[in-house]
Amino acid sequence: MLISKSFDSGSIEIIDAKDPRDIRLAILRDHESDFYQWFHFRASGVMDEPCKFTIERANETAFPAGWDSYNVCASYDRDHWFRVPSAYDGESLSWDITSIYFAYFVPYSMERHLDLIADCSLSPLVRSQVLGHTLDGQALDMLEVGHGAEGRKAVWLIARQHPGETMSEWFMEGALERLLDEDDPVARKLLEKAHFYIVPNMNPDGSRRGQLRSNACGASLNREWLDPSMERSPEVFLTREKMEETGVDFFVDVHGDEALPYCFVAGFDGVPNLRENRIEQFRQYRRTLSELCPDFQEVHGYDADAPGTANMAMGMNFVADHFDAVAMILEMPFQDNHDLPDSEPGGWSTERSRHLARGCLDALLQIIDEI
Ligand code: ZN
């Protein structure tokens, strides 16, 4: 059995792969960081022989609760991905199948990212901009969508601050598909009222390196918003710089949650000088989204921060406070939405991520006049 990880977003440690019926693996730490949970590898060299894969020390990863009802993502052709029943015994995660590619969630490669940027750039509604370069020298892409910023609300959507949370870029595909569909009535009405600034991948270096949470130097970008620098967190520095130019009225930072099996948002309840009208608009948005989109709910999620205790180095808190914006983090599951589960072996999917994005735009149209 040959295991390889030397490709875009590949990551795994091989402990022992000599016996196909007992392949022992482990998850690698992000570079210069203690976080790890993402894996993506190719298995080859075995024909029609039953294989058993075991990831050891899964209980030591960043979010061990995330393995409880988790099923691994697998693919033969790298295009169609499916879930394989997996067992977690409190220490190791294992599954049996002869397959070729496995990953924590369906990967979103930098090649696909470049295709997305190129495809969108063909639309007359889009202005594509490179905000600058990352530590590994990759472009930080932003897509401006709309008929012009003048007189319209500034809506910012960003994804993949945590690069292993690939569902967030699949979400962006859904959002962009809808916004660029000139026959879609929701998109047409929204673009009358709002101008969009979209960063589909905030962390190209972590993405290509196959990391869960960090950039090329080990920085967790969602802890860098208060004082970013070109040396440590150029991705946030450049995005913030652009935001100063455009202003921000509405901000969604899209993520995946390793442990909680639901879709939810968290707000900026803990920022100092909380503006009551802004937090009420956030709650109104959350309520509207839960009414319009059955995959979204407001019961399960993170506890709201107590007044004045927000971590201001996080994107949503910084943006809410600094720009007087309605700001939030949106989370999708790695496991499944337990309120609306898939048939077994179930799991959240790329298409459901895209649908959630469409629902988010429906909800935004309902409240855009209020913000
Ligand atoms: Zn995250």
Side-chain angles (χ1 to χ4, degrees), residues 135 161-162 202-203 213-215 217-238 240 311-316 318:
L135 297 173
Q161 289 206 80
H162 296 150
M202 280 289 291
N203 197 338
R213 261 176 105 93
S214 317
N215 74 354
C217 74
S220 176
L221 296 183
N222 203 24
R223 298 293 182 276
E224 292 286 320
W225 284 75
L226 208 46
D227 191 21
S229 71
M230 283 304 284
E231 292 70 41
R232 181 174 161 79
S233 43
E235 303 87 349
V236 176
F237 184 92
L238 294 163
R240 250 189 64 169
N311 180 347
M312 300 307 289
M314 290 174 72
M316 65 165 167
F318 175 81

Side-chain angles (χ1 to χ4, degrees), residues 162 165 213 255-256 258 331:
H162 296 150
E165 295 163 5
R213 261 176 105 93
H255 288 249
E258 291 77 0
E331 300 278 359

